[in-house]
Amino acid sequence: MPPKGKSPSARTKTDPALLRASREALRPTLQLAEQIYGQLDKGEIPRMRLPLRTKQNIQFNLRDGVWKLGNQTGVRSARKLDGALMLLRTFWLVDFIQEMARESKTSTLRELYYISEQWEDAKFHSEDESNLLVEDLEVLCERLREDFRLHPEENGASVIGDLTLEEVNRKGIKKRINCRDDVGDGGYQLPNNVEKEKITFRGTGAKFILAIECGGMVDRLAENGFDEEFQALLVHLKGQPARSTRRFLKRLNEELKLPVVIFTDGDPWSFRIYASVAYGAIKTAHLSSYLATPSAEFLGVTASDIENYKLPSDKLSDVDVRALKAELSDPRFNTEQWKSEIELMLRIGKKAEQQSLAKYGLNYVTQTYLPEKLTEMGVL
Amino acid sequence: MPAKRTLAEELASRQREISVAEFFERNRQILGFDNPQRALLTTVKEAVDNSLDACEEARVLPEVSVEISKVSEDRLRIAVEDNGPGILRREIPNVFGRLLYGSRFHANRQARGQQGIGISAAVLYAGLTTATAAHIISKVPEEPAAHDLELVLDTAKNMPRVVREDVSLWGDKERGTRVELTIRARYQRGRQSPYEYLRGTAIVNPHARIILLEPDGTRTTWERATTDLPVLPKEIPPHPHGLELGELVQRLRRTRSPSLASFLTDELSGVTRRACSEVLTLARLSGREAPASLEGAAIEQLLAALKAASIAPPSSECLSPIGPMLIKRGLKNVLGTLRPDFYAPPVTRPPKVHSGCPFVVEVGLVYGGDLPPDQPIQLLRFANRVPLLFQQGACAITSAVAGIDWRRYGLEQKTGALPVGPVLLLVHVASTKIPFTSEAKEAIAETEDISREVELAVQSAARSLKLHLSRRIRRSMAQEKFAIIRRILPKLAEKASGLVERPVPDLTPVITRIMDVVTVESQGGGKDPEAASDRYLLELTNYTARLRRLEVFLEVPLEALAEGFSATPAPASVQPESGRVSWEVMKLDPSARTRLELHWPKGVALEPSDIDVYVAGVDDAHLLGADPLPGDWDVRLPAALVEAAENAESAPEKLSPDEEELDYDATERKESVSQDED
């Protein structure tokens, strides 16, 4: 018989505070249950309304300077199989969260996906479905998934440079770390939770943050001593940055007043990395004011860089071209500067990697390209 | 001194007659003997076609067996035996040992063989490639014993030569003919094999029992699906529109009619008295002339007038189409193991005329089951009930099928090619004269009239396919709805009720809202008469929000209604002659269900797919698992029923609120996930 997750040895003492907190976070789901019960009682098909997290439904919020969800909504209805399943799963998920709170446990998103094996017909068919439902719950309850005791797997960025912070470690002890002197070559790795109760900043010698897409480029800059020579804090984004990385950048920017500069490959996907850091991502638009750093600037590689620096390049694939065209209709890229960059890339039909700058030698990026670009941007 | 021969005399001395047989010896591709594989098929085909033609003429249900055995690496022995009327001793040598000798060449009616070339050509080919004689056994029922002959074809003279002769009892067989030939050939299965040929033959000749014994010992029997022999086509005189000048001259010389007028009305098809006087006026002839007295110019005028005058099309009594019912039976009988999802109602077009010859196009279409979904459709072409296996690309049937826009009917297609999908398409052209592209009779030549008819017939079957496909989509949507109401909704109600700590409400009203159909589910029956149930159960459930009054009609095979048939509750009517059984369901409340049950006599094996179910009293959009009553049934429905159906159609239910709104779970949100990682 498969274990049901309730064997006596696994049981932990219930912490009433935790249970209260999770009940409080889940309060809107009780209202949802009331609503659906009422519909069933009246002979109506169960349904709920949710704001759409689509490209067409994000709006620029002037006050916060970020892109947030607009007021278009869609209906999740038990008339369709998908809708009926998602409604049912919502209640299974609520049960699961309560159970975790009772047992003082947390789970990763991936574990949630596998937990649903116990949900009979309502089990998830893909991890996309489970991730989407957790986001739906965030939207419905206006809470973060951490409030529901759910978190992603560790995939936070690494930081190299003169930043001193205090992290509360697993044993509950505050540990002071300098991200240049107290870490190995890999730098300081961000935990999932980068909130104040976990991390506090204690001082920095850096003048700006350089957030970099690829690990190879972070290593190059570190080896060349770029962080010390130019008083920079290097943050490795690891492709599309995780929520914790974006939250960390926002805190550094707000609390230490450090300008954020984004340095990526020159292709349509990298543009989206920038957009999610600066403006917020479409599917987390309900969290934009918490995650986005509107003042972040894009350094390159730009389409003009490919031309001006005569960088070795690849031809745009069909998928690249489609992605660029999609960006032309993405409200986040609706500025003169972005439009002309995207159109230029489409016109020349080329893309280039950050590391293609090695064409001119290993020091070129730190001695020539970055100083030139940063001066042009007014950061240096 | 002898006179020196002139060049002309020199050349003249080398001129001599070429016998027909010698001609075909050199040009064997014309008759379909150009390579060993083809030679095997042509040999089988010629012998089988002759057997079937002979049986039908003698009004005998054909039983034809084909045995193929390996003699050596490149030699096969082919024996074809039938239960036909047999051949008189004096005719045997000519039938098998002489080209262009036959009984059907001069007959103006539908038949498989016509020219009297086929089987003799096979005998010729056997002699040519293996130097063996043909072995013939034949018995007519009027004689006590069978004639057993070996003969060869003398190519120089185009005459048979009997090399051995005997009389035997031939077991106790009453009648029939067996021909055995040894030819150079190699045995293969697959496309263009005797197996394919006989399978096709079995489909379009459901009255025949066909047995194939292959060299490896595999024995296949295609049992007959009907005991009704096809109607014997009648011989009719030639039709003016197909008449050529030389033929007209010959007929005028040979006729015994005293006057031109009587020749025209008696010896040509479609020429009525009125048409006759129109022809004579146009040709400026009186009609009193002796036919043989007409000369060149007058005959040409007469022919022109015959073509110009308005003449009725020829009678189609000279044709014997298979008919929709037997096409379906033939397909089911032979393709049953593929378990197709759908047999389109077969199409038999009304007779039409091409160059004076009547013809009929018939089409059958099968969809799904084990047919490959990603290959071009299988096109089975037939001419006068004979499968055409070669030169598919050159055939008018193929180009007509490929010329149809199949995307409109739900199949994928590259423009101008055969469509792709799990479809088997049967096209049969029957005519007194099929315009083949060559004497090998493998492809029908492009003629506008035939192509147009093929197109119309195939389109009609394709429309049925489209209807089936859209019904299938509705069925899968319904399955989705069943999943919701049976598995998801009860659980959702339980969870929501648990959270609000109240009892689970009655879900019936919600269920009817989600489903909004009347469902008809059937079960019972079976193929195996021993194990199968003799019971057929029909369950109707009203998943709509209003009370329904329904009338249910079944169309069952006639044998099910024989002595021993019963039904509960008692049907409103049973018509044993048409196979129709009907019930009235006076009152079916929302969410209520009712059962109808049939029992048929022992020994009858029926599957649910053999029974067609029709329901009146609910419109097509709210009916699942049955069809609305066909318009041509001419059933008078109670006024209340008609009114209810009309009301349902004229006043479509108002869309519920969430049908007008954006479906949250179907928005592009899902796409954006892959682009914008968390």
Side-chain angles (χ1 to χ4, degrees):
Chain A
M1 216 182 81
K4 281 280 181 186
K6 275 186 182 172
S7 63
S9 62
R11 187 169 296 172
T12 329
K13 229 172 118 186
T14 303
D15 176 349
L18 278 186
L19 203 53
R20 253 198 319 277
S22 103
R23 281 223 184 96
E24 185 53 36
L26 289 168
R27 186 177 297 281
T29 62
L30 192 64
Q31 286 158 10
L32 177 66
E34 293 273 4
Q35 180 191 328
I36 285 176
Y37 186 89
Q39 288 162 342
L40 288 171
D41 203 31
K42 276 187 277 174
E44 289 168 7
I45 299 172
R47 63 204 293 266
M48 71 185 286
R49 189 177 287 279
L50 283 159
L52 295 179
R53 295 196 300 280
T54 62
K55 193 163 75 179
Q56 285 76 24
N57 191 35
I58 53 172
Q59 288 177 350
F60 191 70
N61 183 299
L62 272 176
R63 204 189 56 199
D64 297 347
V66 295
W67 290 86
K68 290 185 172 181
L69 287 184
N71 44 26
Q72 287 178 29
T73 57
V75 166
R76 170 168 282 168
S77 157
R79 181 184 294 278
K80 295 275 173 63
L81 186 58
D82 281 348
L85 279 171
M86 281 308 227
L87 287 173
L88 177 54
R89 285 169 182 150
T90 307
F91 292 130
W92 273 110
L93 179 57
V94 168
D95 283 352
F96 174 60
I97 294 166
Q98 300 275 43
E99 191 186 314
M100 283 195 295
R102 263 194 301 279
E103 297 181 7
S104 304
K105 290 253 162 62
T106 63
S107 107
T108 66
L109 293 171
R110 202 167 177 76
E111 283 171 326
L112 166 63
Y113 168 65
Y114 288 117
I115 280 286
S116 81
E117 290 284 333
Q118 303 170 12
W119 295 1
E120 299 157 16
D121 291 325
K123 79 172 200 183
F124 294 114
H125 301 118
S126 71
E127 226 181 312
D128 276 348
E129 278 183 342
S130 58
N131 293 346
L132 281 170
L133 185 64
V134 172
E135 284 158 22
D136 290 342
L137 197 62
E138 288 184 319
V139 174
L140 179 70
C141 301
E142 296 177 315
R143 292 288 186 135
L144 291 176
R145 60 193 176 199
E146 284 75 14
D147 297 330
F148 305 129
R149 322 193 61 77
L150 294 163
H151 54 83
E153 282 173 50
E154 298 283 341
N155 61 352
S158 53
V159 181
I160 295 175
D162 184 9
L163 169 72
T164 306
L165 51 78
E166 271 177 6
E167 180 181 333
V168 180
N169 70 11
R170 266 177 311 179
K171 290 176 180 154
I173 300 161
K174 278 189 182 173
K175 185 103 182 152
R176 184 179 276 258
I177 299 165
N178 181 282
C179 301
R180 181 187 61 199
D181 303 334
D182 304 335
V183 299
D185 288 353
Y188 168 72
Q189 167 130 26
L190 289 182
N192 265 321
N193 180 357
V194 295
E195 295 307 319
K196 282 199 175 109
E197 72 264 14
K198 176 83 174 165
I199 288 178
T200 44
F201 300 134
R202 292 289 173 225
T204 181
K207 291 280 187 293
F208 69 100
I209 299 161
L210 190 62
I212 298 159
E213 180 177 356
C214 310
M217 184 53 74
V218 178
D219 293 345
R220 166 61 39 227
L221 266 57
E223 190 178 297
N224 288 8
F226 183 84
D227 56 322
E228 293 190 56
E229 190 179 340
F230 292 91
Q231 290 164 298
L233 196 57
L234 307 182
V235 176
H236 179 198
L237 294 172
K238 292 192 180 169
Q240 266 292 352
R243 279 189 190 184
S244 61
T245 310
R246 284 185 276 154
R247 175 66 182 155
F248 186 73
L249 286 173
K250 184 176 177 68
R251 282 193 62 203
L252 285 174
N253 175 259
E254 282 186 346
E255 293 171 34
L256 300 177
K257 309 286 177 239
L258 292 177
V260 176
V261 176
I262 314 284
F263 179 27
T264 65
D265 289 340
D267 64 36
W269 316 101
S270 306
F271 297 170
R272 292 181 186 193
I273 291 175
Y274 166 74
S276 79
V277 172
Y279 308 134
I282 292 170
K283 67 178 219 132
T284 52
H286 57 296
L287 303 169
S288 285
S289 47
Y290 167 83
L291 295 175
T293 309
S295 65
E297 285 189 84
F298 186 68
L299 177 139
V301 172
T302 62
S304 346
D305 288 346
I306 299 176
E307 297 282 85
N308 297 343
Y309 291 90
K310 298 193 168 37
L311 295 179
S313 60
D314 288 316
K315 233 175 125 252
L316 289 178
S317 69
D318 293 348
V319 185
D320 293 333
V321 171
R322 271 203 298 280
L324 283 170
K325 288 188 173 155
E327 283 163 16
L328 284 175
S329 68
D330 186 329
R332 297 175 300 166
F333 290 102
N334 192 13
T335 65
E336 280 316 306
Q337 194 196 343
W338 271 116
K339 275 197 180 316
S340 66
E341 269 301 321
I342 293 166
E343 276 159 10
L344 178 63
M345 185 166 280
L346 280 169
R347 203 160 52 245
I348 64 177
K350 292 174 186 167
K351 59 180 178 184
E353 292 187 353
Q354 299 182 297
Q355 296 183 53
S356 66
L357 287 158
K359 173 188 180 186
Y360 300 109
L362 297 179
N363 294 330
Y364 185 79
V365 63
T366 46
Q367 309 242 302
T368 311
Y369 176 78
L370 286 175
E372 273 181 23
K373 294 285 289 193
L374 288 164
T375 308
E376 199 181 295
M377 291 163 79
V379 176
L380 287 185
Chain B
M1 188 171 147
K4 198 171 178 231
R5 292 219 300 193
T6 64
L7 182 60
E9 279 170 323
E10 177 74 40
L11 288 173
S13 74
R14 286 189 233 150
Q15 305 268 19
R16 66 187 178 87
E17 190 194 2
I18 307 161
S19 100
V20 201
E22 283 175 312
F23 174 78
F24 284 126
E25 181 182 342
R26 297 268 184 89
N27 298 283
R28 49 180 90 158
Q29 78 286 350
I30 299 176
L31 299 179
F33 289 90
D34 37 349
N35 63 57
Q37 192 197 347
R38 187 126 185 241
L40 166 64
L41 190 72
T42 306
T43 304
V44 169
K45 172 181 153 134
E46 296 300 347
V48 171
D49 290 355
N50 283 354
S51 290
L52 293 173
D53 271 339
C55 288
E56 282 164 29
E57 271 177 57
R59 311 310 288 158
V60 172
L61 280 172
E63 175 163 334
V64 181
S65 86
V66 177
E67 297 158 38
I68 303 172
S69 52
K70 199 163 150 182
V71 180
S72 69
E73 200 46 48
D74 62 347
R75 279 188 191 192
L76 294 174
R77 181 175 299 123
I78 299 147
V80 177
E81 186 175 319
D82 65 41
N83 60 342
I87 304 167
L88 290 175
R89 163 64 187 88
R90 64 181 147 85
E91 290 293 341
I92 292 174
N94 283 332
V95 167
F96 292 95
R98 190 171 174 188
L99 292 170
L100 297 175
Y101 186 92
S103 57
R104 289 180 286 269
F105 184 68
H106 301 283
N108 195 30
R109 64 179 163 84
Q110 175 190 336
R112 296 177 180 81
Q114 231 144 21
Q115 274 86 336
I117 293 178
I119 194 63
S120 319
V123 172
L124 170 66
Y125 180 80
L128 220 57
T129 55
T130 64
T132 55
H135 181 189
I136 320 291
I137 309 175
S138 191
K139 181 176 179 305
V140 294
E142 296 76 17
E143 290 180 22
H147 294 279
D148 185 331
L149 282 77
E150 281 185 42
L151 58 84
V152 293
L153 194 153
D154 181 338
T155 50
K157 294 190 202 131
N158 183 25
M159 285 302 275
R161 188 156 55 79
V162 175
V163 295
R164 186 184 65 78
E165 173 158 16
D166 219 337
V167 177
S168 79
L169 278 176
W170 200 16
D172 44 11
K173 204 168 160 121
E174 195 206 342
R175 55 183 155 70
T177 302
R178 177 186 173 94
V179 52
E180 215 177 283
L181 296 167
T182 304
I183 63 168
R184 194 177 74 217
R186 206 168 291 242
Y187 193 78
Q188 269 174 307
R189 262 221 177 183
R191 289 183 60 203
Q192 305 177 338
S193 65
Y195 181 90
E196 284 296 300
Y197 176 78
L198 293 176
R199 186 180 78 136
T201 304
I203 294 174
V204 292
N205 296 279
H207 60 291
R209 182 169 191 263
I210 299 173
I211 301 149
L212 170 65
L213 195 66
E214 291 170 278
D216 64 358
T218 310
R219 187 187 175 89
T220 311
T221 306
W222 288 277
E223 295 292 348
R224 54 176 70 92
T226 175
T227 51
D228 296 337
L229 272 166
V231 175
L232 191 64
K234 290 206 175 89
E235 230 181 291
I236 60 160
H239 190 268
H241 289 170
L243 212 52
E244 302 213 40
L245 186 59
E247 194 186 347
L248 181 58
V249 171
Q250 291 291 328
R251 285 185 180 273
L252 286 167
R253 296 236 173 93
R254 261 193 263 128
T255 181
R256 289 191 190 146
S257 296
S259 69
L260 181 59
S262 62
F263 167 80
L264 289 175
T265 52
D266 299 349
E267 296 186 30
L268 293 178
S269 258
V271 184
T272 56
R273 271 165 197 280
R274 200 199 48 73
C276 177
S277 57
E278 189 188 341
V279 170
L280 291 170
T281 316
L282 282 169
R284 273 176 262 137
L285 292 163
S286 72
R288 286 183 296 275
E289 298 87 348
S293 70
L294 262 67
E295 294 293 331
I299 298 178
E300 284 196 45
Q301 271 176 17
L302 176 64
L303 187 66
L306 279 168
K307 307 261 173 190
S310 50
I311 289 170
S315 148
S316 54
E317 287 178 320
C318 54
L319 298 178
S320 172
I322 308 165
M325 197 179 85
L326 287 182
I327 291 177
K328 189 166 174 181
R329 279 213 197 159
L331 285 168
K332 272 195 172 173
N333 189 34
V334 174
L335 304 175
T337 50
L338 292 172
R339 312 202 140 275
D341 305 339
F342 176 63
Y343 291 88
V347 180
T348 296
R349 296 276 307 162
K352 290 276 166 15
V353 180
H354 77 88
S355 39
C357 307
F359 73 98
V360 166
V361 173
E362 300 184 284
V363 165
L365 186 151
V366 175
Y367 179 88
D370 293 339
L371 290 164
D374 48 359
Q375 302 280 316
I377 64 163
Q378 291 178 40
L379 177 60
L380 302 186
R381 299 171 293 134
F382 297 89
N384 288 348
R385 294 183 187 240
V386 175
L388 308 180
L389 296 189
F390 291 89
Q391 299 177 21
Q392 175 164 299
C395 185
I397 292 177
T398 313
S399 46
V401 172
I404 292 170
D405 182 0
W406 284 90
R407 284 161 289 207
R408 284 171 48 200
Y409 302 109
L411 293 186
E412 283 174 40
Q413 183 189 29
K414 281 189 188 145
T415 307
L418 284 181
V420 171
V423 168
L424 187 141
L425 180 66
L426 172 156
V427 181
H428 176 222
V429 180
S431 177
T432 51
K433 195 178 150 201
I434 305 257
F436 287 110
T437 55
S438 78
E439 205 33 63
K441 303 203 280 187
E442 288 296 355
I444 298 177
E446 300 268 352
T447 47
E448 210 187 311
D449 301 313
I450 294 182
S451 298
R452 179 77 193 134
E453 279 297 303
V454 171
E455 193 184 323
L456 289 171
V458 173
Q459 279 172 336
S460 162
R463 279 192 292 276
S464 306
L465 172 65
K466 189 187 173 187
L467 197 65
H468 167 73
L469 293 177
S470 66
R471 289 221 170 101
R472 209 172 57 150
I473 291 171
R474 273 209 353 240
R475 259 202 303 281
S476 80
M477 277 169 58
Q479 259 152 20
E480 187 181 317
K481 287 179 172 179
F482 275 125
I484 295 174
I485 61 155
R486 287 183 182 156
R487 307 169 70 129
I488 313 296
L489 196 67
K491 197 82 193 164
L492 181 65
E494 184 194 312
K495 288 259 172 199
S497 307
L499 278 167
V500 301
E501 294 169 346
R502 268 183 279 170
V504 178
D506 173 23
L507 296 178
T508 311
V510 184
I511 288 174
T512 57
R513 280 216 179 170
I514 291 176
M515 293 299 289
D516 202 20
V517 285
V518 172
T519 62
V520 182
E521 291 162 282
S522 59
Q523 62 180 73
K527 199 83 199 162
D528 179 5
E530 295 299 311
S533 160
D534 56 354
R535 211 170 70 116
Y536 174 80
L537 195 67
L538 206 62
E539 192 171 81
L540 285 85
T541 312
N542 180 9
Y543 285 116
T544 66
R546 76 174 86 131
L547 187 147
R548 298 277 172 180
R549 177 178 172 185
L550 304 170
E551 205 152 346
V552 182
F553 298 83
L554 297 189
E555 200 165 39
V556 300
L558 299 183
E559 60 262 35
L561 301 186
E563 187 67 36
F565 162 84
S566 71
T568 39
S573 86
V574 179
Q575 296 174 21
E577 68 284 0
S578 61
R580 289 177 191 167
V581 182
S582 73
W583 284 270
E584 278 178 45
V585 178
M586 297 306 285
K587 186 165 159 291
L588 196 59
D589 285 313
S591 302
R593 65 185 46 166
T594 188
R595 290 179 159 203
L596 308 172
E597 213 176 305
L598 279 188
H599 290 265
W600 48 72
K602 279 255 171 295
V604 175
L606 294 178
E607 291 189 312
S609 68
D610 292 323
I611 298 172
D612 294 325
V613 186
Y614 304 97
V615 173
V618 52
D619 62 309
D620 194 24
H622 294 94
L623 178 60
L624 194 85
D627 292 334
L629 198 61
D632 59 0
W633 270 33
D634 208 24
V635 171
R636 198 175 303 158
L637 294 170
L641 220 56
V642 177
E643 200 183 323
E646 277 171 1
N647 283 347
E649 272 167 52
S650 60
E653 277 179 52
K654 246 178 69 183
L655 286 177
S656 62
D658 51 80
E659 274 179 309
E660 291 163 355
E661 284 179 290
L662 216 49
D663 180 356
Y664 182 77
D665 294 289
T667 56
E668 55 147 10
R669 194 169 50 106
K670 289 190 176 169
E671 283 168 46
S672 62
V673 171
S674 51
Q675 299 167 1
D676 264 324
E677 290 301 323
D678 179 70

